[in-house]
Amino acid sequence: MQLNPKTSLSESSKTFLKIDEKISSWEQTTLEKISQSYSEFIDYLFGSLVSESPYILKSHEITYLSFNLALNHALMGRYDLASIEARKIAQREQAVELFNKKAYEALEEQEKFTADLGEEAHVISKIELIEDYPIEDFKSPKVKALKNAYQNASANYLSGFVFESQNDTSLAAPAYLKAMDLNPHSTLFKKAFDNLNKTTKDDSKGEVLLVIQNDIAPQLGIKRFRFGVPTKRGWRSVNIALPIIMDENSYHSGQSFISVDGQNVGLEVTSDTDTLLRRYLKDSMPKYLSMATTKALIQIASQVTLSMGTKKLRKYDMGATELIGSIAIEKFIALGQPDTRTWKTLPRTVQMARLSLTKGQHSLTIGNGSKTSKIMLFVDKNYQIVSVRNIGNKIYSRTESRDGALISNYYDSILKHPIESSPWW
């Protein structure tokens, strides 16, 4: 709906807003859960990592939700609505940060408890110890360079542009600074921050932000791995299921190029979703490992119970029956596969450029190596956005709507007339 130029963006925005409601609910739940004890939080954490749980966007996907909504609103000329989404970006980054902090603390407490049980209660806490796991997914310099998986430089820069369009430099400045912090080599981000407080504005020109999203990001899959667990009755071999990167889509057209009125424009890669996903998986692996290995230990303890009787269980179960605090064994064993659902149409990369164009008609030519597309852009405002999606041999583009009726009805259409559709996931 967002790509099809024959479809109103209001339909796309209404669908995004349905997801936004779920994320708002998740934020509230997170604030409640982080105040709980570690054992209670482990219950919630492990339950959220399995495929049976309601799908909540992964940490790197949450920012993309506000990014897309802000983009839609701006393309409909509603920068006031876009600024609301821009504010959510920082708010939700903070919620993810709080959730991750509590999760790491809870896992550390569990590891301390496990250590107290003795060497026999061996829980693998490092992915390097899992034979045949594709650890190279985490070792690239780009993955190591990322501060985290939940802050998106492109989204923060878009926020700054939106705030600047509303003459709110007090919010634009920190948004640009955050983008610079996440991508310190960007000349685009630095220039925007440096020019923010210029007192003279040329009203004969408009600031045009080009947002180009390329290809399709990799997805997550599941692979089973075997490892040995020592018990007082000898070594037992168990299988655990862990998520891995699956990069099997055929959309690899590469980066885009663009020219305006025949002049080439320098585009910067401002976000790399492939790298964000790999960093997300790297940061989340302790959670998946703890869940998988704890489940394996409890399964072993259950096997011992069958052969020895309940009375002697405590002598041989390595304390596994107490390992997860508040979670009942039956409930824990029933947990399914790791949750590998992902937002399947996110771009592999985002490129951006910002131009000061004389107000009036301009010709844009966009290419991806195998195909080119031309856009006629009419610059008539001080701030405008052009959105482009490059997927394989197809290029989709949208410029800001100039249809007064559509623009005036946009707010009512997305908030007062919700669509009836299939489940949003």
Side-chain angles (χ1 to χ4, degrees), residues 150-167:
Y150 58 86
Q151 292 178 313
N152 188 315
S154 299
N156 280 280
Y157 181 79
L158 177 63
S159 296
F161 186 85
V162 168
F163 291 139
E164 185 181 342
S165 74
Q166 300 295 289
N167 295 315

Side-chain angles (χ1 to χ4, degrees), residues 129-295:
L129 300 176
I130 302 291
E131 187 177 355
D132 296 329
Y133 190 89
I135 190 64
E136 63 275 6
D137 287 344
F138 305 152
K139 289 186 174 181
S140 77
K142 291 197 297 183
V143 173
K144 292 180 179 179
L146 282 182
K147 293 180 179 296
N148 53 63
Y150 58 86
Q151 292 178 313
N152 188 315
S154 299
N156 280 280
Y157 181 79
L158 177 63
S159 296
F161 186 85
V162 168
F163 291 139
E164 185 181 342
S165 74
Q166 300 295 289
N167 295 315
D168 195 339
T169 57
S170 65
L171 290 177
Y176 286 147
L177 283 173
K178 177 61 71 63
M180 291 168 59
D181 184 52
L182 296 172
N183 191 345
H185 302 296
S186 171
T187 56
L188 172 69
F189 298 168
K190 185 177 186 305
K191 185 177 179 180
F193 179 75
D194 290 344
N195 293 339
L196 186 59
N197 292 316
K198 280 190 174 180
T199 55
T200 57
K201 300 287 185 180
D202 188 347
D203 289 334
S204 68
K205 292 185 175 182
E207 294 293 301
V208 178
L209 177 62
L210 307 177
V211 180
I212 303 180
Q213 302 180 66
N214 300 299
D215 297 328
I216 300 290
Q219 312 297 317
L220 291 177
I222 292 177
K223 187 174 180 179
R224 301 197 72 85
F225 301 88
R226 182 181 296 274
F227 71 95
V229 177
T231 74
K232 290 185 177 179
R233 297 178 65 81
W235 279 79
R236 291 181 181 269
S237 180
V238 297
N239 286 302
I240 61 173
L242 294 173
I244 60 171
I245 302 291
M246 303 288 290
D247 194 5
E248 299 178 347
N249 72 69
S250 58
Y251 301 112
H252 291 288
S253 56
Q255 309 303 329
S256 299
F257 61 86
I258 192 167
S259 65
V260 179
D261 300 330
Q263 300 294 315
N264 289 334
V265 173
L267 290 167
E268 283 190 14
V269 176
T270 51
S271 293
D272 186 332
T273 315
D274 182 356
T275 305
L276 285 169
L277 176 63
R278 294 171 195 275
R279 180 56 190 260
Y280 160 78
L281 190 53
K282 178 179 183 293
D283 292 346
S284 300
M285 192 52 67
K287 308 171 195 174
Y288 286 110
L289 276 173
S290 182
M291 182 181 74
T293 54
T294 301
K295 182 175 179 180

Side-chain angles (χ1 to χ4, degrees), residues 291-389:
M291 182 181 74
T293 54
T294 301
K295 182 175 179 180
L297 287 173
I298 291 177
Q299 289 173 332
I300 290 174
S302 299
Q303 295 169 16
V304 173
T305 304
L306 292 176
S307 61
M308 300 183 61
T310 306
K311 223 172 184 183
K312 297 181 180 180
L313 173 61
R314 294 294 177 187
K315 184 176 180 182
Y316 295 105
D317 72 348
M318 307 161 291
T321 54
E322 299 174 359
L323 192 58
I324 54 172
S326 64
I327 305 179
I329 296 177
E330 294 81 3
K331 176 183 176 182
F332 191 73
I333 291 178
L335 291 178
Q337 298 288 347
D339 185 10
T340 58
R341 292 169 291 180
T342 50
W343 188 343
K344 294 184 180 298
T345 56
L346 286 180
R348 181 178 291 268
T349 59
V350 178
Q351 291 174 279
M352 287 183 168
R354 180 168 171 172
L355 308 171
S356 293
L357 297 179
T358 303
K359 291 181 179 178
Q361 191 88 341
H362 297 273
S363 174
L364 279 64
T365 301
I366 304 164
N368 61 12
S370 61
K371 186 177 179 62
T372 59
S373 177
K374 287 193 174 181
I375 304 172
M376 298 309 296
L377 170 65
F378 191 81
V379 179
D380 59 350
K381 297 190 296 185
N382 291 335
Y383 292 88
Q384 289 179 230
I385 290 178
V386 176
S387 175
V388 177
R389 187 66 191 268

Side-chain angles (χ1 to χ4, degrees), residues 397-416:
S397 61
R398 281 187 185 267
T399 58
E400 285 194 24
S401 176
R402 301 183 67 208
D403 187 325
L406 277 179
I407 294 172
S408 62
N409 292 330
Y410 178 70
Y411 178 81
D412 286 345
S413 65
I414 63 174
L415 295 181
K416 294 186 178 180

